[in-house]
Amino acid sequence: MSLKSRGELPSRSVISQKWTLLLCVGCFCAGMFFTNRMWAVPESKGITRTTAVEAEKLKLVSEGCDPKTLQQKFVKRDSKDIIGEVHKTHHAIQTLDKTISNLEMELAAARAAQESMVNGSPISEDLQKTESSGRKRYLMVVGINTAFSSRKRRDSVRATWMPQGEKRKKLEEEKGIIIRFVIGHSATSGGILDRAIEAEDKKHGDFLRLEHVEGYLELSAKTKIYFATAVALWDAEFYIKVDDDVHVNIATLGETLVRHRKKPRVYIGCMKSGPVLAQKGVRYHEPEYWKFGEAGNKYFRHATGQLYAISKDLARYISINQHVLHKYANEDVSLGSWFIGLDAEHIDDRRLCCGTPPDCEWKAQAGNACVASFDWSCSGICRSSERIKEVHRRCGEGENALWNAVF
């Protein structure tokens, strides 16, 4: 028995070693299997985390879309989004600008009323209407620059191109056109000159009185005050200054201006660039000639002073900044200097400076009626109080043109 027992020991040992080997191989295979499974999990999670944009790209590519076409599609979509945002921003800016402009207008009107009370002057009838009934929109305000000594000129304008009485009120209500003679006060407040203007205004009711002391060398200051006062009184699209010795066709002026009504900042007139006169004692002498460079230089382009028009935004600009706007010797040069650094469009329209007959007559017969007519040699119509009726007869557009005009 001892020999048999010894013979069985080796067989049990062999069997145990085989099972051990198989067990090791099995464990190894199981380990490899589970290892591969664990490495595959992150890959599947990565696919599930694909963004919506990437998923759309993969879908389009799988459907056969060209990658280049795909890129163009996404660029176009991004461009549309950007353009949409730009339009929204631009609209918001325009709305804000309009709000600011309205506030500035209200502020200008309040300042005008306050200055009138501080200076002890009664508030004008036009300003009282503005304060009490709100602001009505007008097409244009025409300010006719005049002086104390120009009564005959004013009467000649009233007898020709400026409607009177009920017609003037109808012009304001139906056509949105305000026309006023513009004048300040004499150096002696309440003197005979002022009383004469007050009596004339009581008769015709066509004056705009300014808080300004009249004087030939003060025309630049008068121009600033006129625009500031007009903006405070009337909410118009355009503001015009014209001299009282110039003939004007009102309907043609309105038709000319409405062509530019969509432009925010326009400065319309007959643009010129005259010489800077340094010699003392001559007419139009410029004391600050040295600012314009060497002797013999010319001014920058600006509208001649007989007639010019500016849009509402430019008139507001003058109103708000009138205390810091520099005045040169010549009024038309001063106005041009206030706009030279602004983003304003200068419009040179030669119909605003036609000559007297036969020039304006020929143009009227050709169907190209002039806006304004005068003589360059006189900076207005020579002997206007005597000749303006003849100019009106030969070059005027006719009364029906004004009432039939649509602005």
Side-chain angles (χ1 to χ4, degrees), residues 11-139:
S11 63
R12 291 179 180 174
S13 176
V14 172
I15 293 172
S16 177
Q17 290 177 356
K18 290 180 178 180
W19 281 107
T20 301
L21 180 61
L22 289 173
L23 182 60
C24 290
V25 172
C27 290
F28 176 78
C29 292
M32 291 295 293
F33 176 78
F34 284 108
T35 301
N36 290 336
R37 293 279 295 178
M38 291 177 68
W39 281 103
V41 171
E43 184 177 353
S44 64
K45 289 183 178 179
I47 294 174
T48 59
R49 291 180 181 176
T50 303
T51 62
V53 176
E54 291 173 344
E56 187 177 352
K57 290 182 178 179
L58 290 172
K59 180 180 178 182
L60 291 174
V61 171
S62 65
E63 292 175 356
C65 290
D66 183 16
K68 185 176 181 180
T69 305
L70 178 65
Q71 182 180 3
Q72 291 177 352
K73 177 181 178 181
F74 282 96
V75 169
K76 289 180 180 178
R77 188 179 68 180
D78 293 341
S79 299
K80 289 180 180 179
D81 292 341
I82 294 173
I83 293 173
E85 291 299 324
V86 170
H87 283 311
K88 290 179 181 178
T89 304
H90 182 64
H91 178 71
I93 292 173
Q94 285 183 327
T95 303
L96 182 60
D97 286 342
K98 185 176 181 180
T99 302
I100 293 174
S101 297
N102 291 334
L103 291 174
E104 289 173 348
M105 290 290 293
E106 294 176 4
L107 179 60
R111 283 176 176 171
Q114 184 180 14
E115 289 177 0
S116 296
M117 289 185 288
V118 169
N119 295 327
S121 302
I123 300 177
S124 68
E125 182 180 351
D126 291 316
L127 185 56
Q128 289 177 352
K129 291 179 181 179
T130 301
E131 293 296 324
S132 61
S133 60
R135 298 185 66 81
K136 179 182 176 181
R137 298 297 301 274
Y138 295 93
L139 172 63

Side-chain angles (χ1 to χ4, degrees), residues 145 153 216-217 219 241 243-246 272 274-287 289 299 304-306 328-333 374-383:
N145 186 41
R153 287 185 180 181
Y216 179 76
L217 298 179
L219 288 178
K241 176 262 175 182
D243 289 338
D244 61 5
D245 55 353
V246 173
K272 66 175 185 177
V276 180
L277 301 179
Q279 183 180 357
K280 292 182 179 180
V282 300
R283 191 180 185 186
Y284 306 128
H285 164 64
E286 179 58 72
Y289 61 89
Y299 288 112
T304 185
Q306 284 82 3
Y328 289 102
N330 300 299
E331 160 253 340
D332 51 359
V333 173
F374 57 89
D375 300 307
W376 284 103
S377 59
C378 297
S379 297
I381 298 176
C382 299
R383 305 189 314 278

Side-chain angles (χ1 to χ4, degrees), residues 136-354:
K136 179 182 176 181
R137 298 297 301 274
Y138 295 93
L139 172 63
M140 60 182 174
V141 176
V142 181
I144 307 173
N145 186 41
T146 191
F148 290 113
S149 59
S150 299
R151 174 62 187 266
K152 290 183 178 180
R153 287 185 180 181
R154 290 191 291 274
D155 286 340
S156 67
V157 169
R158 292 183 180 114
T160 53
W161 59 268
M162 180 181 180
Q164 292 297 296
E166 293 301 319
K167 289 184 178 180
R168 183 168 61 82
K169 294 180 180 179
K170 180 181 178 182
L171 185 66
E172 296 177 6
E173 295 173 358
E174 296 185 4
K175 301 299 182 181
I177 299 175
I178 304 291
I179 305 178
R180 295 286 190 277
F181 287 105
V182 180
I183 195 169
H185 298 272
S186 65
T188 305
S189 180
I192 186 172
L193 296 177
D194 291 315
R195 292 199 300 271
I197 293 296
E198 290 169 2
E200 189 178 345
D201 189 23
K202 186 176 181 180
K203 179 180 179 180
H204 298 283
D206 54 6
F207 277 92
L208 172 59
R209 301 299 301 275
L210 304 178
E211 290 300 325
H212 166 75
V213 177
E214 287 289 323
Y216 179 76
L217 298 179
E218 297 298 326
L219 288 178
S220 294
K222 183 177 181 179
T223 300
K224 282 200 298 184
I225 297 172
Y226 158 62
F227 283 118
T229 305
V231 164
L233 293 175
W234 300 288
D235 181 13
E237 295 183 64
F238 297 96
Y239 297 84
I240 296 92
K241 176 262 175 182
V242 58
D243 289 338
D244 61 5
D245 55 353
V246 173
H247 180 269
V248 179
N249 284 320
I250 295 295
T252 307
L253 173 61
E255 292 169 353
T256 300
L257 295 179
V258 295
R259 298 173 188 170
H260 309 288
R261 70 191 330 166
K262 293 184 179 180
K263 302 173 183 177
R265 293 170 297 277
V266 290
Y267 172 34
I268 308 171
C270 290
M271 300 295 166
K272 66 175 185 177
S273 178
V276 180
L277 301 179
Q279 183 180 357
K280 292 182 179 180
V282 300
R283 191 180 185 186
Y284 306 128
H285 164 64
E286 179 58 72
E288 297 182 90
Y289 61 89
W290 58 273
K291 288 185 177 180
F292 299 92
E294 301 299 326
N297 278 2
K298 292 184 176 182
Y299 288 112
F300 39 76
R301 290 282 175 184
H302 61 278
T304 185
Q306 284 82 3
L307 184 148
Y308 48 72
I310 62 176
S311 59
K312 177 167 57 178
D313 283 358
L314 293 182
R316 286 173 175 169
Y317 173 81
I318 294 174
S319 175
I320 295 168
N321 300 284
Q322 59 179 308
H323 301 295
V324 295
L325 294 177
H326 186 69
K327 303 185 297 291
Y328 289 102
N330 300 299
E331 160 253 340
D332 51 359
V333 173
S334 295
L335 184 77
S337 71
W338 301 336
F339 303 147
I340 199 68
L342 299 183
D343 185 16
E345 182 176 354
H346 290 53
I347 298 175
D348 182 21
D349 192 333
R350 310 314 291 184
R351 292 179 303 164
L352 274 67
C353 55
C354 295

Side-chain angles (χ1 to χ4, degrees), residues 167 175 251 255 396-406:
K167 289 184 178 180
K175 301 299 182 181
E255 292 169 353
E397 60 195 355
E399 185 176 358
N400 291 333
L402 178 57
W403 301 115
N404 293 333
V406 178

